[in-house]
Amino acid sequence: MIGNGMAGMRTIEELLKLAPDAYDITIFGAEPFGNYNRIMLSPVLAGEKTIDEIMINDLQWYKNNNITLHANKTVVEINRAEKKVIAEDGTFESYDRLLIATGSNPFMLPVPGGKLSGVIGFRDIHDVDTMLDSAKTKKKAVVIGAGLLGLEAANGLKLQGMDVTVVHIMDCLMERQLDKPAAKLLQSELESRGIKFLLDARTQEILGDDHVSRIRFADGAEIEADLVVMAVGIRPNFELAQKADLECDRGIVVSETMLSSDPSVYSVGECVQFEEHTYGLVAPLFDMAKVCASQLADIDHKHYVHTETSTKLKVSGVDLFSAGIINGNEATDDIIFQDPANGVYKKIILQDHKIVGVVLYGDTFDGSWYFELLREATDVSEMRSHLLFGQAHLGDSGHGGVNDAIAAMSDDAEICGCNGVTKGCVTKAIIEKGLQTLDEVRAHTKASASCGSCTGLVEQVLAHTLGADYSDSPSEKPVCKCTDYTHDDVRKAITEQKLTSLKALMNAMEWRTVDGCASCRPALNYYLIAAWPGKVEDDYRSRFINERIHANIQKDGTYSVIPRIWGGVTTADELRTIADVADKYEIPTVKITGGQRIDLLGVKKEDLPAVWGDLNKGGMISGHAYSKGLRTVKTCVGQEWCRFGTQKSMQMGIELEKMTWGSWTPAKFKIAVSGCPRNCAEATIKDFGVVAVDSGWELHIAGNGGIKVRVTDLLCKVKTEDEVREYCGAFMQVYREEAHYLERTAHWVERIGLPYVKQRIVEDSEGRKALNKRFLESQVYAQVDPWAERASEGVDAHEFVALTQINKQQ
């Protein structure tokens, strides 16, 4: 291979994966280094990276892979007749197949003085070293060109302490990637960092004796310069191929298989021309590498297809994203959000209900999503009114934030444009390989390993996938001051040491207090009964007051009583029973609840057993409205009555409630079933939400109403009612077994990550069945009506009578 740059070496890496023993590989590289990440030269210049940190494959890597590297040797001839390449020092190698990856050369303005000392391009490590050396002794730098590379060079030189002026022939920065409002914001930001701009300025001559000293412009104006960096574009480096009589135009002409006009010679990278396109961004070069490697390996004949690319600026603190066209026309619509004071600008260009261009400045989080919609030509007419606010706000009240946006991102969404890495690829690597850090993700997937502009996004995927494991603070928090052990430590000890009582547990874990405290006792009691259903006796003294009394205490000391109404469906007899109870015990308020039940408010404590007894006689049991367990199953009328209903939601809700009532969970648990996607039962803000669709049921998890609304995550879609019940039982059981006490499903899923839940519930069918089985087994012991026990069996009778009578006259 001629060339040791990123495109060529990516081809070799892909080839080694496909057919490691197919070739004896020899590489000629003009630089004395291994293969390094050329697009990370800007961070090196800015002092944010070192050369070692951007090295992709060091010299030892070549030895380890039995590759001969002729470093620091420039090939000057290709003898196609003899299938031989010859370097300028006479070194030569023969080939069966040749890969030309000579990249590009910086375009140097053909102006007088252009070859003076101190006038350089910005292409390789040598250029960076020259700039860094100049910054130590020189003061004034001029960068010609305000494109991506020029601005990155200017920023780096400014950070090195030089007085930097950017000269640009156009009237705004990055005119190929930004429209004028976005360019203005970018210019203001860079000016605030001390970089000066001369726009509409045409360089006429570079002045100096042996070294550059000034630049003269077409209007006669001059500025001082100790260093001039030309960043006005690149040109494909195809001179060698041209001399070898390969077909060339604006680059080495290649086919869709990356084959040149010689059937033994391939070419990839910035030196090629495919159809009418030449290239300067890394993402398409890596696509070429995959195609070429498959051809060389002769096992998977992929074809290269030109695709749109996106642009990001590698300047720390500047968020910029651009893709597609940047200026609309008569056939397009522009949707624009502009907040100059906060430095935010968003512009989406639509044509025929599809995104054809995106410009983002200041808030680029949804760049990958917009780019995915653009590349796939998605019809966005249904989401047009919310499109500008990002993926997290589609069908959402907007409280989900970044985590919801990551969750909503499809697995096919491209995270790293440089290396073509999708969210699904990153997530899969994290789960399957147990990756914990950004560096590990980079090593296994190459995401964020090139330009680094997607680093924040990769970190968010990592955090979302690992949950709190990405940040060790929640998992390391002890249960309370009585111990240094965490919730997870306690749960592990209970199962591993087969501990079945509070006393045994506290002794085994050397609790600091004899009986624990109000924080740890309820938690330990829950962990014990969750681990050993039927074996451990529920310690009612470790319950909060509402759970001990089986009613919710009110501010006046009375209680509210809510009988269970299955799926929100009641009968005339049940209503008569409730009415009779309200009259008999002079209950002042009867209220319909948000969970489709009836609340009897103002019940005296001593009347509770009698009230429960009368409700039991009417066939009604406790609604567990006070419990850390299943509360309600809300339903809409569904297919039974509604003309829009697609499934029998009332029946499904009643069946789920009869399966799950009485269950104890780490925190309260709510279910809802909607009969169609109109979602009248608000299933997408419940712990477990079921939404009927034509083909079956959508299952949602980890929603939350209350103070901070959290819309559910979509777990999966199923076809049958049996599957709905199985998935529901499995989800409740894994939540019971692994969440921390008082941790709602929303917080738990955010902590452990949705992919983990999917892996346990959706992907592991045997594991799901086992979880559901354990849930149903525990329900055998849990589904006992506490009202009936207390109304007719005298259980905990002391709770409902005063300890002594006090005579106020004594």
Side-chain angles (χ1 to χ4, degrees):
M1 182 173 75
I2 304 173
N4 191 32
M6 295 179 67
M9 285 308 301
R10 177 56 68 90
T11 306
I12 298 299
E13 290 176 357
E14 296 288 341
L15 178 60
L16 291 176
K17 294 177 189 175
L18 297 174
D21 301 320
Y23 297 93
D24 292 328
I25 301 173
T26 299
I27 299 172
F28 284 86
E31 295 182 82
F33 312 105
N35 170 233
Y36 62 88
N37 191 336
R38 194 179 300 277
I39 56 179
M40 292 300 280
L41 289 173
S42 296
V44 173
L45 177 61
E48 297 164 353
K49 296 279 185 182
T50 66
I51 293 297
D52 288 341
E53 288 176 322
I54 68 168
M55 197 61 65
I56 300 173
N57 299 308
D58 59 18
L59 298 178
Q60 186 60 45
W61 180 88
Y62 294 82
K63 294 178 181 176
N64 294 343
N65 287 279
N66 299 315
I67 295 172
T68 301
L69 173 63
H70 293 302
N72 208 21
K73 293 180 185 294
T74 302
V75 173
V76 294
E77 181 183 352
I78 301 171
N79 187 328
R80 292 170 53 204
E82 298 181 9
K83 290 193 172 183
K84 185 191 308 182
V85 296
I86 305 163
E88 59 185 352
D89 68 347
T91 303
F92 67 92
E93 295 281 357
S94 58
Y95 65 84
D96 296 314
R97 287 181 172 178
L98 177 66
L99 175 60
I100 303 176
T102 46
S104 63
N105 294 319
F107 177 65
M108 305 299 283
L109 290 176
V111 296
K115 294 186 179 179
L116 282 171
S117 172
V119 180
I120 63 172
F122 184 16
R123 189 62 187 155
D124 54 28
I125 288 177
H126 176 70
D127 295 330
V128 173
D129 287 342
T130 301
M131 285 188 265
L132 292 174
D133 288 342
S134 297
K136 295 175 183 175
T137 57
K138 310 293 185 183
K139 293 183 178 178
K140 294 185 179 296
V142 174
V143 177
I144 302 177
L148 268 176
L149 202 59
L151 296 180
E152 290 173 8
N155 181 66
L157 290 168
K158 184 62 187 175
L159 290 173
Q160 294 300 327
M162 297 195 79
D163 181 355
V164 181
T165 300
V166 176
V167 175
H168 197 45
I169 195 170
M170 304 300 290
D171 62 353
C172 70
L173 316 185
M174 294 181 64
E175 71 279 358
R176 293 185 179 180
Q177 293 87 20
L178 301 180
D179 61 359
K180 289 193 174 181
K184 190 70 175 176
L185 287 173
L186 175 60
Q187 182 177 341
S188 297
E189 171 61 29
L190 295 177
E191 285 175 338
S192 73
R193 301 183 181 202
I195 298 174
K196 303 169 188 171
F197 290 92
L198 283 178
L199 304 181
D200 271 330
R202 181 182 295 276
T203 302
Q204 185 178 62
E205 184 176 4
I206 299 175
L207 306 174
D209 294 328
D210 296 327
H211 192 91
V212 59
S213 61
R214 302 181 68 80
I215 292 181
R216 178 179 296 156
F217 300 102
D219 62 1
E222 296 183 5
I223 60 171
E224 294 180 299
D226 300 316
L227 173 72
V228 173
V229 179
M230 288 198 186
V232 291
I234 58 174
R235 296 291 184 272
N237 180 11
F238 59 94
E239 183 181 357
L240 184 64
Q242 205 166 29
K243 285 172 56 180
D245 290 329
L246 291 170
E247 182 184 357
C248 297
D249 183 12
R250 293 160 52 220
I252 302 171
V253 175
V254 295
S255 68
E256 59 192 8
T257 61
M258 311 317 299
L259 193 63
S260 74
S261 55
D262 184 330
S264 298
V265 181
Y266 292 83
S267 186
V268 296
E270 293 172 346
C271 59
V272 309
Q273 176 184 336
F274 174 71
E275 297 175 341
E276 74 276 18
H277 307 288
T278 57
Y279 298 88
L281 298 175
V282 71
L285 310 189
F286 287 169
D287 289 340
M288 295 179 193
K290 290 180 180 177
V291 172
C292 189
S294 72
Q295 294 293 326
L296 289 169
D298 204 26
I299 59 173
D300 181 12
H301 294 291
K302 297 180 178 178
H303 290 180
Y304 180 72
V305 178
H306 175 77
T307 57
E308 293 286 347
T309 55
S310 60
T311 300
K312 298 175 184 177
L313 187 67
K314 294 180 290 299
V315 171
S316 179
V318 177
D319 295 321
L320 181 157
F321 180 93
S322 171
I325 66 173
I326 58 172
N327 292 305
N329 52 49
E330 293 179 352
T332 64
D333 291 334
D334 295 352
I335 306 178
I336 296 174
F337 174 83
Q338 196 164 6
D339 183 1
N342 288 316
V344 176
Y345 178 80
K346 296 182 177 182
K347 177 179 177 182
I348 299 173
I349 304 172
L350 303 176
Q351 183 171 3
D352 297 330
H353 308 299
K354 297 170 184 173
I355 295 177
V356 294
V358 181
V359 178
L360 304 176
Y361 183 88
D363 179 2
T364 60
F365 182 83
D366 286 295
S368 296
W369 179 55
Y370 292 133
F371 187 48
E372 183 183 13
L373 296 175
L374 184 152
R375 289 202 311 176
E376 295 182 358
T378 303
D379 187 330
V380 298
S381 52
E382 291 292 327
M383 61 180 91
R384 178 174 175 140
S385 61
H386 292 79
L387 190 62
L388 202 58
F389 300 105
Q391 190 176 18
H393 290 255
L394 293 180
D396 186 355
S397 55
H399 296 278
V402 170
N403 206 42
D404 275 3
I406 293 294
M409 191 179 288
S410 74
D411 284 346
D412 294 330
E414 190 175 73
I415 296 292
C416 175
C418 294
N419 294 299
V421 184
T422 64
K423 175 197 168 190
C425 177
V426 173
T427 303
K428 183 179 180 183
I430 292 170
I431 294 173
E432 292 186 353
K433 300 183 183 300
L435 309 183
Q436 298 283 324
T437 67
L438 177 63
D439 286 341
E440 290 176 340
V441 173
R442 284 172 173 162
H444 282 83
T445 69
K446 292 190 181 297
S448 167
S450 291
C451 80
S453 59
C454 64
T455 295
L457 193 54
V458 175
E459 287 179 323
Q460 286 159 1
V461 173
L462 188 59
H464 176 71
T465 306
L466 291 179
D469 287 345
Y470 188 59
S471 168
D472 59 5
S473 54
S475 61
E476 296 303 318
K477 185 178 179 181
V479 173
C480 66
K481 294 180 180 178
C482 300
T483 182
D484 292 329
Y485 288 109
T486 67
H487 289 262
D488 292 332
D489 292 335
V490 170
R491 303 201 78 157
K492 186 177 180 182
I494 289 171
T495 53
E496 289 187 350
Q497 300 180 43
K498 301 187 186 309
L499 303 171
T500 57
S501 71
L502 280 172
K503 192 67 176 176
L505 175 57
M506 291 179 176
N507 288 340
M509 304 198 76
E510 299 178 333
W511 230 246
R512 295 195 186 100
T513 53
V514 176
D515 293 318
C517 68
S519 294
C520 65
R521 284 189 67 90
L524 302 189
N525 182 54
Y526 167 74
Y527 292 149
L528 285 165
I529 61 175
W532 308 112
K535 296 180 180 178
V536 172
E537 186 175 350
D538 184 13
D539 181 11
Y540 88 98
R541 295 171 302 172
S542 298
R543 294 286 188 184
F544 292 116
I545 177 64
N546 290 345
E547 292 177 312
R548 289 206 309 271
I549 301 298
H550 295 276
N552 284 319
I553 191 169
Q554 304 299 302
K555 66 179 184 180
D556 62 353
T558 63
Y559 288 82
S560 84
V561 171
I562 302 179
R564 189 164 295 282
I565 295 179
W566 306 102
V569 179
T570 188
T571 65
D573 286 342
E574 288 181 343
L575 293 175
R576 286 191 193 94
T577 297
I578 292 172
D580 289 345
V581 166
D583 286 342
K584 180 178 180 180
Y585 297 96
E586 299 180 342
I587 296 172
T589 302
V590 180
K591 168 84 171 59
I592 304 295
T593 74
Q596 299 180 336
R597 304 197 287 188
I598 296 176
D599 191 355
L600 302 171
L601 290 149
V603 181
K604 298 172 185 174
K605 185 177 182 181
E606 58 269 27
D607 288 342
L608 285 172
V611 168
W612 296 337
D614 286 349
L615 289 171
N616 282 160
K617 290 175 184 174
M620 308 184 80
I621 64 171
S622 171
H624 290 84
Y626 45 81
S627 74
K628 308 290 183 291
L630 187 277
R631 294 282 183 91
T632 65
V633 179
K634 186 175 180 179
T635 68
C636 67
V637 296
Q639 193 182 56
E640 290 97 328
W641 291 97
C642 178
R643 60 194 174 96
F644 297 114
T646 60
Q647 306 288 347
K648 294 180 179 178
S649 54
M650 286 194 297
Q651 176 183 317
M652 186 74 258
I654 291 170
E655 290 180 6
L656 285 176
E657 188 158 6
K658 291 195 171 180
M659 184 183 86
T660 58
W661 77 270
S663 57
W664 292 103
T665 49
K668 62 183 176 183
F669 193 97
K670 297 181 179 180
I671 298 174
V673 183
S674 289
C676 78
R678 288 172 176 78
N679 194 17
C680 293
E682 301 170 330
T684 50
I685 56 169
K686 303 299 182 186
D687 297 281
F688 188 80
V690 182
V691 178
V693 293
D694 288 334
S695 58
W697 308 86
E698 287 183 352
L699 306 182
H700 299 254
I701 60 169
N704 191 24
I707 296 173
K708 183 180 180 182
V709 178
R710 184 188 193 275
V711 177
T712 49
D713 297 317
L714 176 62
L715 180 66
C716 62
K717 295 180 181 178
V718 298
K719 294 181 178 178
T720 69
E721 295 175 359
D722 287 342
E723 288 177 302
V724 174
R725 288 188 289 269
E726 180 176 297
Y727 278 72
C728 178
F731 175 68
M732 289 190 73
Q733 186 65 15
V734 72
Y735 170 57
R736 283 160 50 96
E737 292 181 351
E738 299 188 10
H740 298 168
Y741 185 66
L742 299 183
E743 187 175 36
R744 293 293 303 271
T745 58
H747 300 145
W748 173 62
V749 170
E750 288 180 355
R751 179 168 65 84
I752 63 166
L754 178 62
Y756 173 77
V757 180
K758 285 189 173 182
Q759 190 273 323
R760 294 292 307 275
I761 306 296
V762 181
E763 298 166 17
D764 182 2
S765 61
E766 292 303 315
R768 178 178 66 249
K769 293 180 187 301
L771 283 166
N772 183 49
K773 183 179 179 181
R774 292 202 293 277
F775 177 79
L776 296 178
E777 287 175 351
S778 71
Q779 288 296 87
V780 172
Y781 308 101
Q783 289 190 331
V784 177
D785 179 23
W787 288 358
E789 287 182 314
R790 283 149 185 81
S792 59
E793 300 174 20
V795 173
D796 297 335
H798 61 281
E799 290 280 5
F800 307 101
V801 296
L803 292 175
T804 185
Q805 295 289 327
I806 300 174
N807 187 341
K808 294 181 180 179
Q809 295 179 342
Q810 288 181 341

